[in-house]
Amino acid sequence: MTLKLNYYTFGGPFIGEHRRMHDVVCEVPEEYRVSVLSKKPDPTNQLNFLKPFKPRQYSDDLLFHLFYNVCSEVYQLLVAAELFERGWRYHKGEQVWLTRTKSAIYKQTMTHELAVYTVFDPIIWRVVNREMMIHFLEIEGKPDVPDLNGMVKI
């Protein structure tokens, strides 16, 4: 008998199915959130300044990790803006990041297109090519990044 593990979706020996970090229900105390930490003084009454976050220096893989696993933080918005600048677009319905391949647009109208896209699949955590019909209204626009007063260098 051979035990074969599918490490793409293996959540551990005590979980009946795969769980992503943000699928686990737990409350994060407000004082642990990065957006709050940067505004509160520490016990010596000094502001907690974090080192500047520079998303341009990170790989797409790390940006995808941050986007899908650092939910409800300002970093998720910053990562989304950087992925947008790199040519990735977020599909609201499918909840995946995609970009056009160099060719293979089969049909294009003013409202949609049928083409082969390069898609980051968060379920298998891989970049794959997928033929998709995309309605342009389902594609998220460029995110508005708030002014963070020097905390972030984009």
Side-chain angles (χ1 to χ4, degrees), residues 9-92:
T9 59
F10 184 63
F14 305 110
I15 296 178
E17 60 188 52
H18 171 68
R19 299 271 188 224
R20 295 174 293 180
M21 285 186 340
H22 60 276
D23 289 340
V24 178
V25 179
C26 67
E27 292 296 320
V28 177
E30 197 63 24
E31 60 267 17
Y32 288 113
R33 294 193 177 273
V34 172
S35 55
V36 173
L37 275 176
S38 63
K39 297 174 187 165
K40 289 192 172 187
D42 66 11
T44 64
N45 216 19
Q46 299 291 318
L47 284 179
N48 291 308
F49 288 109
L50 301 172
K51 288 196 172 208
F53 178 67
K54 301 176 185 174
R56 285 192 181 131
Q57 71 186 25
Y58 300 122
S59 68
D60 288 354
D61 291 336
L62 180 59
L63 295 177
F64 289 133
H65 171 77
L66 291 171
F67 179 82
Y68 285 106
N69 292 298
V70 185
C71 301
S72 302
E73 288 285 347
V74 69
Y75 290 116
Q76 187 180 40
L77 187 59
L78 295 170
V79 164
E82 178 60 25
L83 287 168
F84 188 91
E85 289 298 317
R86 294 182 186 189
W88 290 94
R89 299 297 181 260
Y90 188 72
H91 190 286
K92 294 182 272 190

